[in-house]
Amino acid sequence: MDPNPERRLQSDWYSPTRLSSSPVQFDFPGDRFIPNRSLMDLDQAHTLLTRRTQERSRPRIDDKYRLKLDENLNLDSEGRPFKMLVFRGSPKSSRKSIRHIDEMRRSEDEALYYAKKATQYRYFPKSEASVLDAPNIRDDYYSTIMDWGKNNLLAVALGSEIHLWNAKNRSVQKLLKVDRANDYPSSVAWSNDAKRVAVGHQCSEIQLWDAEAFKYVRSLEGHQKRVGALAWNGHILTSGSQDKSIINHDVRVGNSLISRVRTHASEVCGLKWSSKGNLLASGGNDNLVYIWEAFKIGSSHFLHRLNDHRGAVKALAWCPYDSDILASGGGTKDGCIKLWNVQRGLCINSIGTNAQVCGLEWNRHHKEILSGHGFSTDTLNHQLCLWQYPSMSKMGGLKRHSSRVLQLAQVHIIVLQQIKLEFRLLDIKLCNPQTSSPLEMIDILQSPDGLTVMSAGADQTLRVWEIFGPPKRDNSRVSELDGLLSLKTSPIR
């Protein structure tokens, strides 16, 4: 037994025995490379390791140098023995251990998982939000009978008349009536600023109407047969006709016809400009889809010729979150929805619906696409179907029209830069009461932003669907998540 235990404790200050008798409390969490050995008797091991059976020779090493080296390596700044990699924990403090941080992160991950799961809950509505009577609506696959402007007005062709339906106050006004025999509106399209309505006629004429003053503006000529498709791109109005031609009109000038192409072998029944305005997609009764570049369309040189469909192509829709993706739908003999990469000219996905595809609309809030169907020998007859993008797995469907769906329409979206401009103008007008009333801009800013879809059926009804709205949220989960995020911090380690 050591006659002087105090000396032994001093000499073995770094040992667990010394640590256990120290007035300073230590944690012993252990480590991957330095395990926790606080319960092991290391005194005997230390003795066996440090006992020398014979003195080793120390050639050419000065004793003073060795003593100085031992002091620097084995003594701390206060002169106490010191060993590197000593098996002792850090002094206890108020700082929480790393395990507590891991528990915080784990709880946050769980809260995020459940909140995300609750937030992404999607469902297909059991019925429409409302039904509107649409007497005299024409059962014609090759006509574009309605369009929804960003002013929240729906323009719809009913027989020989064009009516405007206000989605905000549900009022209806008649814009025009065609008095000529054997003539009727066969297509309708709102301008980008929602001030003018273009109306294509069965007799080949195109008329421009002032939707604010309810006045006729002018006529555009160039076609010889029915105008069944219209599409705006700024001040350019593109029209497609039964005469197989596509014409671009500059509505700012008197001689509006700026280019004409005739590449389709049959009637042009579908036209859609991309959101950037640099690409035009045209679909025809020849089962073909052409992709045109805006600056080359006058030369009849198309970018791509897409020929995978086996039926007429009327339904066209550009993806709102990927400008390179186009969705197209084929007629009765085809019944397929195809997704195209227009930069490569390749079909990236195709789903057979066994039904005539009459309309396609993208969900701008979730990666989904809605299709409206016509004639079919399968269960999709007269249905609306919701598909998940890009897998194109069916999420739901509903049959409410008693006859085929002719077309789908969704309100136009105001781009973010325009919204910012409108807010700046609105702020200026509110600050200066002598300027004109900002009520019109308020109406625009409060208009729907792609939450509602209108379907037109051959059963002479228009049905309003709240199908693209945000998913239901679990408020209890969301509030719990907000609490976690506001009270906890996760330091980087």
Side-chain angles (χ1 to χ4, degrees), residues 147-276:
D147 192 29
W148 203 336
K150 72 180 182 183
N151 55 3
N152 212 9
L153 295 179
L154 179 79
V156 57
L158 301 179
S160 61
E161 301 175 346
I162 295 287
H163 291 264
L164 302 183
W165 176 72
N166 190 319
K168 186 175 181 180
N169 56 29
R170 302 303 176 100
S171 63
V172 180
Q173 292 178 288
K174 184 170 69 174
L175 177 66
L176 66 93
K177 181 179 180 180
V178 179
D179 295 326
R180 294 187 296 263
N182 301 321
D183 190 19
Y184 56 86
S186 54
S187 57
V188 59
W190 283 99
S191 63
N192 297 126
D193 58 8
K195 293 181 179 180
R196 289 169 294 184
V197 178
V199 181
H201 289 255
Q202 170 70 18
C203 69
S204 77
E205 183 185 11
I206 300 175
Q207 292 182 348
L208 295 182
W209 285 75
D210 186 334
E212 297 176 340
F214 282 74
K215 291 183 178 180
Y216 165 79
V217 178
R218 60 178 297 192
S219 293
L220 307 176
E221 299 179 351
H223 289 294
Q224 284 76 45
K225 295 184 179 180
R226 172 179 60 190
V227 180
L230 294 171
W232 285 90
N233 186 16
H235 58 271
I236 301 298
L237 175 64
T238 305
S239 58
S241 172
Q242 193 178 12
D243 62 13
K244 310 174 188 178
S245 65
I246 299 174
I247 294 179
N248 285 315
H249 307 264
D250 188 340
V251 299
R252 300 173 300 176
V253 298
N255 186 10
S256 63
L257 196 154
I258 58 176
S259 67
R260 181 203 303 268
V261 293
R262 187 170 180 175
T263 307
H264 283 279
S266 188
E267 179 175 3
V268 179
C269 51
L271 289 173
K272 192 74 68 173
W273 280 100
S274 65
S275 58
K276 295 181 180 180

Side-chain angles (χ1 to χ4, degrees), residues 405-472:
V405 174
L406 298 173
Q407 191 184 336
L408 300 177
Q410 184 180 184
V411 68
H412 292 288
I413 302 300
I414 309 171
V415 296
L416 181 61
Q417 292 162 346
Q418 184 173 354
I419 288 180
K420 291 181 179 178
L421 176 62
E422 297 286 357
F423 270 118
R424 288 198 295 268
L425 293 174
L426 179 60
D427 182 55
I428 293 172
K429 289 197 173 187
L430 290 177
C431 294
N432 186 4
Q434 295 180 354
T435 60
S436 58
S437 172
L439 292 179
E440 292 182 1
M441 282 187 289
I442 294 176
D443 288 341
I444 292 177
L445 293 174
Q446 291 179 346
S447 65
D449 57 352
L451 304 181
T452 307
V453 177
M454 181 77 76
S455 63
D459 57 359
Q460 299 191 354
T461 63
L462 301 177
R463 298 177 187 264
V464 182
W465 303 87
E466 295 178 355
I467 196 170
F468 285 168
K472 290 184 177 180

Side-chain angles (χ1 to χ4, degrees), residues 364-395:
R364 294 176 174 88
H365 303 280
H366 303 275
K367 290 189 175 182
E368 301 165 354
I369 186 168
L370 181 70
S371 60
H373 298 275
F375 298 134
S376 172
T377 58
D378 204 349
T379 56
L380 292 180
N381 189 18
H382 312 148
Q383 275 200 2
L384 296 181
C385 293
L386 191 63
W387 310 87
Q388 190 173 41
Y389 171 79
S391 65
M392 294 305 291
S393 58
K394 185 180 175 182
M395 301 178 61

